[in-house]
Amino acid sequence: NYVLAAGSALGRAGEWKGCINYLRTSDDSEKLGQALVAATMLACVECLEYDSAIEVYRDSASNPSLGGSEWQYGGGYDIIHPISRDLALRAMGRSAKQGWSSQAMKIFRDHVVDEGELISIDAFLGLVMTFERDSEWNHALDVLNILLKTQGSESKDMWGIVSDSVDVISVSREKPVSGTTSNSL
């Protein structure tokens, strides 16, 4: 996706603030839609501006007009692009702030496990890092139980882990065996 590639390039150039400004003020924001939100978050993550990436995620979740109305895929739709959710988990784990573990667990349960979506290794590590930072050992045990229950399942409706955030959408309908990675952990 060209929009995501642009976000990555701008992030590597240190232009994350410009991406946020463009997302919030450009007339093209609605036309580019949720892909622009994901690209802006990617630019922030590339610059290690994790709290800014989380702010973009929260703004887009609470304001559907930011970046278009919805993300459409395979006959369904959602208000948040799957790559944005993935990047949010990644950013929450690396944020200097505490208190993200409950929201991270909600994203993981509601959107990854319950909807059978994919998650990147970096997002999964971000999820676990929020538990460690917040001392939320019960959440960590819940994730372990989910992993154990899904291990060996071959249902296409089960969630899975992929190597990169971009793969969350590019292989979303060709899901690996649940609870494992396409490269295996």
Side-chain angles (χ1 to χ4, degrees):
N1 186 324
Y2 297 114
V3 178
L4 288 172
S8 179
L10 288 167
R12 289 183 187 145
E15 291 296 327
W16 61 276
K17 287 181 183 178
C19 288
I20 291 174
N21 186 47
Y22 185 77
L23 174 67
R24 291 185 176 153
T25 62
S26 173
D27 293 336
D28 293 331
S29 181
E30 191 168 331
K31 181 175 77 173
L32 293 171
Q34 284 295 309
L36 181 59
V37 173
T40 301
M41 290 180 66
L42 184 56
C44 293
V45 167
E46 290 282 350
C47 291
L48 310 179
E49 293 294 333
Y50 301 116
D51 292 330
S52 295
I54 295 167
E55 183 180 334
V56 168
Y57 175 80
R58 294 179 80 191
D59 287 351
S60 69
S62 64
N63 182 3
S65 65
L66 181 65
S69 59
E70 62 214 19
W71 165 250
Q72 297 180 357
Y73 60 94
Y77 71 93
D78 198 344
I79 196 167
I80 300 292
H81 194 291
I83 294 175
S84 296
R85 283 196 298 264
D86 198 81
L87 290 168
L89 289 172
R90 188 170 161 183
M92 287 175 184
R94 287 157 181 82
S95 171
K97 296 179 181 175
Q98 289 186 320
W100 293 117
S101 59
S102 291
Q103 186 173 359
M105 188 63 179
K106 181 172 176 33
I107 292 169
F108 179 69
R109 274 201 180 127
D110 294 353
H111 298 286
V112 177
V113 177
D114 291 349
E115 294 179 15
E117 294 296 327
L118 298 174
I119 185 174
S120 72
I121 291 170
D122 285 335
F124 188 78
L125 290 174
L127 174 71
V128 173
M129 290 166 73
T130 64
F131 303 154
E132 180 181 21
R133 189 183 50 250
D134 293 351
S135 298
E136 285 288 347
W137 310 119
N138 286 332
H139 285 326
L141 289 172
D142 289 345
V143 169
L144 178 61
N145 283 328
I146 290 168
L147 283 170
L148 292 173
K149 286 178 185 175
T150 59
Q151 189 64 28
S153 174
E154 295 185 24
S155 170
K156 289 188 177 189
D157 294 331
M158 299 299 284
W159 67 283
I161 300 174
V162 294
S163 61
D164 192 82
S165 291
V166 175
D167 293 335
V168 168
I169 195 64
S170 65
V171 295
S172 67
R173 300 303 164 225
E174 303 168 18
K175 296 176 185 164
V177 175
S178 82
T180 64
T181 67
S182 55
N183 298 338
S184 79
L185 282 174

